[in-house]
Amino acid sequence: MLETVKYLLGSAGASGYGSKSTAENVTEQSPDLRSVTAIITGATSGIGSETARVLAKRGVKLILPARSVKAAEETKTRILSEVPEAEIIVMALDLSSLSSVRNFVAEFEYLNFPLNLLINNAGKFAHQHAISEDGIEMTFATNHLGHFLLTKLLLKKMIETANETGVQGRIVNVSSSIHGWFSGDSIQYLRLITKDKSQYDATRAYALSKLANVLHTKELARVLKKTGANVTVNCVHPGIVRTRLTREREGLVTDLVFFLTSKLLKTIPQAAATTCYVATHPRLANVSGKYFADCNEVCSSKLGSNSTEAARIWSASEIMVAKNSNANLDPLEASLL
C-alpha cells in the first residue's frame, strides 16, 4: 500500500527521482553526450520516440532502425524540427527476422561508427498468434530473440568503442513488470505456443518475452563481468502507459481497463524517464545486471532473479539464432536437449 501511495505522489527514491520524473528531468545532470552514438530500436512512436528526442536534445548521435523506414523518417523529421543540429540516421530493421538483424548489423558496421549505447526498446503485443520466418512464436521472436541477436552481433563494436574512448558502454533492455506474471517452464511454453496455436495466450506470451529480457540482462551482465568488458547492461520497467504497443487490443475492454487505471498511467515523457536515466546518468557507472523502475533499482520477479533460468534462456537463444544450425533441426527441440 505504501509503495502505491509513493507511486501516486511521485515521491523520489534513492536516486532522487520517482514515478513523476520525466526523461528531460533525469538527463539534466548528464555529462556532455555529444560524443555518444546510440542505437535505439522501436523509436518510431511512444516511449522510444521520446527517448530518441530527449537524447538528441542532449547531443547524442542517433541510429534509428525500424521495420517502417517511413515511420522512422517521420520521427527524424519531428526531432529535427525541435533540434535542428541533431545527427540522426534511419536504417531498416525487422526484429522478428534474424536475417534482417544480420543485414542491419552488417550495414551499420560498414558505416564504421562507434557505438556507446544500445537501447533495446522495441516491443510487440500480438493478440493474434503468428510465427516468424525463423519458425519462432512472433512475440518472443520480436521482443527477445531479435534483440538477443542484435546485442550479440553489436557487442564487439561496443567493447572496441569503450576501449578506444575510455567511456563505458551501456546496454538498456526495456522489459515490463508483466514479466512477473509468467510462471512455469519458459522453454516448454515457448515450444508449446510455437507448435500449437490453440495453446496461445497473448498476455502470457508477452510476459514470457519480457521475462526473457530480464534473464538476458542478468546473464549478459555475468558474461561481461567475466570477460572484463567495459560495458554494462541493465533492464527497465518503464511503467504503465498507453502507447501503440496495445494497438492490436483496442476495444471496449481495453478502454475500460485503461479508464479504471488512469490514475496509475504515466505520460510518455514520464515513461521514458527510467530508460534515459539508466542510459545516461553518471550515478550508474559500473552498475550492471540490475532491474529498474521509476528511476530506482528494484527487485525483479523470483524467476527473473534465477541465475539457472537465465543461463538456460541464454543457451536456448544461442541455439535459436545460430546461423549454421541444421535446417532440419527444430531449434526449440534442440534447446530442450
Side-chain angles (χ1 to χ4, degrees):
M1 181 64 179
L2 180 59
E3 291 303 315
T4 302
V5 172
K6 287 182 178 179
Y7 175 86
L8 292 172
L9 293 176
S11 301
S15 68
Y17 304 108
S19 62
K20 302 301 182 185
S21 300
T22 67
E24 292 206 24
N25 295 155
V26 304
T27 55
E28 286 174 351
Q29 297 181 25
S30 296
D32 188 349
L33 300 177
R34 286 176 295 178
S35 63
V36 172
T37 299
I39 292 176
I40 308 174
T41 67
T44 57
S45 65
I47 297 168
S49 179
E50 176 66 1
T51 299
R53 183 189 74 81
V54 172
L55 292 185
K57 192 173 181 179
R58 303 303 184 211
V60 177
K61 181 175 184 176
L62 302 178
I63 311 297
L64 305 183
R67 185 174 58 178
S68 171
V69 172
K70 180 176 181 292
E73 289 288 357
E74 290 170 354
T75 296
K76 176 180 177 179
T77 299
R78 287 195 300 272
I79 294 173
L80 288 175
S81 69
E82 181 182 350
V83 191
E85 68 277 15
E87 294 183 68
I88 305 172
I89 296 175
V90 169
M91 299 177 70
L93 170 63
D94 179 355
L95 282 162
S96 72
S97 164
L98 299 181
S99 64
S100 178
V101 174
R102 292 189 178 94
N103 289 339
F104 164 77
V105 173
E107 290 173 9
F108 175 75
E109 288 178 339
Y110 180 78
L111 296 174
N112 199 30
F113 290 152
L115 182 59
N116 310 91
L117 176 60
L118 172 61
I119 300 179
N120 291 321
N121 167 81
K124 179 182 181 66
F125 190 123
H127 182 58
Q128 300 298 325
H129 180 268
I131 301 297
S132 75
E133 66 180 41
D134 301 290
I136 306 297
E137 187 278 316
M138 188 63 80
T139 304
F140 190 88
T142 304
N143 294 357
H144 168 65
L145 206 59
H147 282 130
F148 179 88
L149 179 60
L150 180 67
T151 304
K152 175 184 172 72
L153 297 180
L154 290 173
L155 201 52
K156 180 181 177 182
K157 172 60 70 174
M158 294 196 73
I159 293 171
E160 288 176 354
T161 300
N163 290 340
E164 291 169 3
T165 64
V167 178
Q168 191 169 66
R170 295 191 184 185
I171 301 168
V172 182
N173 288 332
V174 179
S175 182
S176 168
S177 61
I178 290 175
H179 82 272
W181 295 9
F182 185 85
S183 61
D185 189 311
S186 57
I187 304 301
Q188 288 282 10
Y189 181 66
L190 176 60
R191 179 176 180 274
L192 181 65
I193 60 175
T194 294
K195 297 295 185 182
D196 187 351
K197 179 180 179 179
S198 69
Q199 298 297 318
Y200 181 73
D201 177 271
T203 301
R204 194 175 185 212
Y206 182 74
L208 170 61
S209 72
K210 296 290 99 179
L211 172 64
N213 294 154
V214 175
L215 294 172
H216 175 215
T217 301
K218 186 173 184 65
E219 182 65 7
L220 178 57
R222 186 193 67 79
V223 171
L224 291 170
K225 182 178 180 179
K226 183 179 180 180
T227 59
N230 190 23
V231 177
T232 64
V233 57
N234 290 291
C235 197
V236 305
H237 164 57
I240 308 169
V241 59
R242 190 167 193 177
T243 69
R244 288 178 59 199
L245 184 65
T246 60
R247 62 187 176 271
E248 295 183 48
R249 294 191 71 96
E250 296 296 323
L252 180 61
V253 173
T254 302
D255 290 340
L256 179 61
V257 169
F258 275 97
F259 173 76
L260 293 174
T261 60
S262 60
K263 295 300 181 183
L264 299 175
L265 291 179
K266 287 187 175 185
T267 65
I268 287 176
Q270 290 169 349
T274 305
T275 298
C276 288
Y277 171 73
V278 173
T280 67
H281 205 283
R283 183 191 299 250
L284 295 186
N286 301 317
V287 175
S288 193
K290 305 302 183 181
Y291 179 72
F292 291 81
D294 300 329
C295 302
N296 286 275
E297 184 182 336
V298 296
C299 294
S300 61
S301 70
K302 184 177 180 180
L303 194 55
S305 303
N306 188 311
S307 298
T308 300
E309 188 66 15
R312 186 166 175 257
I313 281 284
W314 179 282
S315 296
S317 300
E318 286 279 21
I319 292 169
M320 285 185 273
V321 303
K323 190 174 182 180
N324 60 350
S325 60
N326 189 328
N328 296 318
L329 179 63
D330 181 342
L332 287 170
E333 292 284 2
S335 67
L336 291 169
L337 296 178

